[in-house]
């Protein structure tokens, strides 16, 4: 069962970063501009985040085996549609379908493993699943580069089809049905939060082209506010809210989720352009770009466990604040290093520094939020921070694209490189503001309670790069 869950989770997590080294090939093949290209990432991540908690609830209510098969089937269909897409519009629709499938597969796989594992082996099982998921995130840029260069960008999506079919066959063969506590799905909350983020991203990406004072952009931003206020009002009165309002009474919880969302905005905004920088500015092929991103992604394997132990000893605020300062410094360094004559040797140091800062900050931000609530509410709190991280990342990509287009966008090599430097400087600012939020955390976070089953699940459920 762990092997089946690992295959399913690996496939879904791989799609978070596998497209990064394919973006330049997609842009040239489909004739997409920067705004259209960012939706290939945003359409997936917004749908994934909006449906994540609903996917977990559906699995508990209707059966995890049944929902896992359904989620895998939806993901496979979405992947095939993406590979066959002749234009950007159809590709974006396919990415939305992929996001729906992924939002079912990932939490249901995790819940299935937790339910099936004996208590004394649960930590090891979840750790193994988390390790496989983390490996998928690390391997994403390299796999995307190899597949794009040796085959085509369409095969980034085609590879999901045989893997998904194999996973479905294994689920049918070895996985028994299991259910959890029947929970209602906050359908209204899901629609409102998706509407809020889609409207915000639309307004940000259209601002440069249509004009920030145009009726289209102003109208969309007003719609963002309406959806956002409607979501908050609904969460206050909903019987089973997606985001529990009572959690936001805690200073630690509020500071933690704001810092985590801003950190994800900086992270996703930079990820969108890093592989493109290596290909357009430095002239590397997709495989070379993917391999040269490894010093950035692989820091997670070393740093994340160390910072977890440090936060237990020192508290989350100093560790998280230090990580964000390091990340912001790395982004600023990268922005200064990127110019028309840039070489990989000059960007290697900033990439490592950014990786160190991000790898230190992300798990600690999750621990800060989870430590702010009672043990019985850990699952809901973890769901909140995972949703807000993904949504923050989607907005971060939109902000980065808006900055990129405002500074020239895709022109010649020199102009594109200059615009990317402005993006990385913007990411430094986002990380710095996240540091301001982290400074509001209490000096010591809540401790002294054993890690619960829900907390193990929560800590293992992150797919952040």
């Amino acid at each position: 069962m762990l092997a089946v869950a690992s295959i399913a989770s690996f496939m879904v997590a791989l799609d978070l970063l596998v497209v990064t080294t394919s973006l330049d090939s997609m842009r040239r093949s489909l004739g997409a501009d920067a705004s259209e290209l960012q939706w290939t990432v945003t359409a997936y991540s917004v749908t994934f985040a909006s449906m994540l908690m609903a996917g977990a609830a559906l699995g508990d209510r209707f059966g995890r085996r049944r929902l896992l098969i359904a989620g895998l089937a939806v993901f496979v269909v979405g992947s095939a549609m993406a590979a066959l897409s002749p234009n950007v519009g159809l590709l974006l629709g396919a990415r939305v379908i992929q996001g729906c499938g992924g939002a079912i597969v990932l939490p249901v796989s995790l819940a299935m493993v937790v339910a099936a594992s004996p208590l004394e082996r649960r930590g090891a099982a979840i750790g193994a699943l988390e390790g496989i998921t983390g490996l998928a995130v690390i391997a994403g840029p390299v796999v995307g580069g190899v597949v794009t260069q040796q085959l085509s960008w369409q095969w980034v999506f085609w590879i999901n089809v045989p893997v998904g079919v194999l996973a479905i066959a294994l689920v049918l063969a070895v996985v028994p049905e299991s259910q959890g506590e029947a929970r209602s799905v906050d359908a209204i909350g899901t629609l409102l939060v998706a509407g809020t983020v889609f409207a915000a991203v639309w307004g940000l990406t259209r601002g440069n082209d249509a004009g920030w004072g145009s009726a289209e952009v102003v109208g969309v931003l007003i719609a963002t506010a309406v959806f956002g206020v409607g979501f908050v009002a609904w969460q206050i009165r909903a019987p089973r809210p997606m985001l529990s309002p009572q959690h936001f009474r805690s200073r630690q919880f509020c500071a933690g989720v704001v810092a985590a969302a801003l950190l994800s905005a900086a992270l996703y905004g930079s990820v969108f352009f890093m592989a493109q920088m290596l290909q357009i500015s430095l002239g590397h092929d997709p495989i070379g770009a993917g391999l040269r991103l490894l010093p950035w992604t692989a820091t997670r394997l070393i740093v994340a466990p160390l910072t977890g132990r440090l936060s237990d000893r020192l508290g989350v605020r100093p560790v998280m604040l230090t990580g964000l300062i390091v990340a912001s410094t790395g982004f600023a360094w990268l922005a200064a290093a990127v110019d028309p004559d840039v070489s990989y040797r000059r960007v290697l140091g900033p990439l490592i520094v950014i990786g160190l800062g991000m790898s230190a900050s992300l798990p600690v931000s999750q621990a800060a939020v989870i430590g702010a609530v009672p043990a019985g509410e850990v699952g809901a709190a973890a769901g909140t921070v995972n949703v807000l991280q993904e949504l923050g990342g989607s907005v971060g990509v939109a902000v980065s694209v808006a900055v990129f287009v405002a500074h020239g966008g895709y022109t010649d090599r020199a102009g594109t490189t200059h615009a990317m430097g402005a993006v990385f400087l913007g990411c430094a600012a986002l990380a710095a503001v996240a540091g301001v939020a982290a400074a509001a955390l209490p000096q010591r976070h809540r401790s002294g309670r054993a890690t619960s089953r829900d907390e193990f699940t929560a800590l293992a459920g992150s797919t952040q790069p």
Side-chain angles (χ1 to χ4, degrees):
M1 190 177 296
L2 178 61
V4 173
S6 297
I7 291 171
S9 297
F10 185 92
M11 180 180 67
V12 172
L14 190 72
D15 253 54
L16 289 168
L17 288 186
V18 74
V19 299
T20 56
T21 40
S22 307
L23 289 172
D24 189 51
S25 296
M26 288 182 190
R27 177 179 66 86
R28 289 183 280 105
S29 173
L30 299 175
D33 59 26
S35 299
E36 292 172 327
L37 201 63
Q38 65 93 20
W39 279 105
T40 64
V41 175
T42 303
Y44 180 85
S45 58
V46 171
T47 308
F48 180 85
S50 302
M51 294 290 295
L52 196 59
M53 297 179 76
L58 288 170
D60 289 341
R61 174 178 286 270
F62 296 109
R64 293 167 183 142
R65 181 177 183 265
R66 184 179 294 114
L67 261 293
L68 182 57
I69 292 170
L72 286 167
V74 170
F75 193 84
V76 166
V77 170
S79 298
M81 289 177 61
L84 292 169
S85 298
N87 55 58
V88 176
L90 291 177
L91 177 60
L92 298 185
R95 291 290 279 168
V96 169
I97 294 173
Q98 276 190 302
C100 291
I104 296 172
V105 169
L106 208 64
V108 170
S109 298
L110 186 60
M112 185 179 71
V113 170
V114 170
S117 302
L119 183 61
E120 65 275 8
R121 297 174 61 188
R122 185 170 294 144
I126 293 175
L129 184 61
E130 181 184 14
I132 294 294
T133 304
L135 179 63
V137 173
I138 292 168
V142 179
V143 172
V146 171
V147 171
T148 300
Q149 185 170 328
Q150 298 301 319
L151 297 169
S152 67
W153 67 262
Q154 287 90 345
W155 279 93
V156 169
F157 302 110
W158 276 129
I159 58 176
N160 292 328
V161 175
V163 175
V165 171
L166 173 63
I168 291 173
L170 290 174
V171 172
L172 290 170
V174 304
V175 175
E177 186 60 276
S178 64
Q179 290 180 284
E181 177 187 355
R183 295 180 288 152
S184 60
V185 177
D186 185 7
I188 295 176
T190 298
L191 292 174
L192 287 171
V193 74
T196 301
V197 179
F198 269 115
V201 172
W202 184 277
L204 288 168
T205 54
R206 287 289 295 156
N208 286 309
D209 293 333
W212 291 100
S214 66
E216 176 190 352
V217 173
V218 171
V220 169
L221 294 179
I222 290 174
T224 302
V226 171
F227 279 126
V229 171
F231 175 72
V232 172
W234 172 251
Q235 295 304 286
I236 293 173
R237 57 181 295 200
R240 292 297 298 267
M242 178 188 295
L243 307 181
S244 178
Q246 64 181 348
H247 295 152
F248 291 91
R249 298 172 185 168
S250 164
R251 185 182 104 188
Q252 178 173 325
F253 184 87
C254 291
V257 295
V258 170
L262 288 169
L263 179 56
S264 291
L267 178 59
Y268 276 79
S270 62
V271 167
F272 185 81
F273 283 105
M274 278 185 178
Q276 294 187 74
M277 173 198 71
L278 291 171
Q279 293 176 73
I280 297 173
S281 302
L282 277 72
H284 296 295
D285 56 36
I287 295 178
L291 290 172
R292 285 169 175 81
L293 284 176
L294 281 177
W296 166 64
T297 55
T299 53
R300 169 176 171 155
L301 295 176
I302 302 170
V303 176
L306 295 177
T307 54
R309 287 194 288 270
L310 276 176
S311 66
D312 288 338
R313 181 179 302 176
L314 303 175
V316 295
R317 186 173 74 177
V319 176
M320 187 173 178
L321 193 54
T322 300
L324 287 166
I325 291 172
V326 170
S328 182
T329 302
F331 280 126
W333 184 8
L334 181 61
V338 173
D339 60 44
D341 299 321
V342 66
S343 65
Y344 181 67
R345 182 180 299 177
R346 288 174 56 190
V347 302
L348 177 60
L351 288 177
I352 294 174
V353 170
I354 293 168
L356 292 173
M358 291 293 185
S359 299
S361 304
L362 276 168
V364 178
S365 68
Q366 295 160 355
V369 174
I370 291 169
V373 301
E377 299 176 16
V378 162
T384 299
V385 70
N386 283 334
V387 168
L388 291 178
Q389 280 180 322
E390 294 293 335
L391 297 179
S394 301
V395 174
V397 173
V399 170
S400 292
V401 169
V403 171
F404 178 74
V405 173
H407 285 80
Y410 296 111
T411 54
D412 56 13
R413 178 174 172 271
T416 302
T417 302
H418 169 73
M420 289 182 180
V423 167
F424 298 135
L425 193 60
C427 291
L430 286 171
V433 177
V436 174
L441 288 166
Q443 179 60 37
R444 298 290 299 183
H445 68 284
R446 284 165 53 105
S447 58
R449 56 177 172 83
T451 302
S452 68
R453 166 177 162 174
D454 282 343
E455 190 162 358
F456 270 127
T457 302
L459 291 172
S462 174
T463 57
Q464 291 291 310

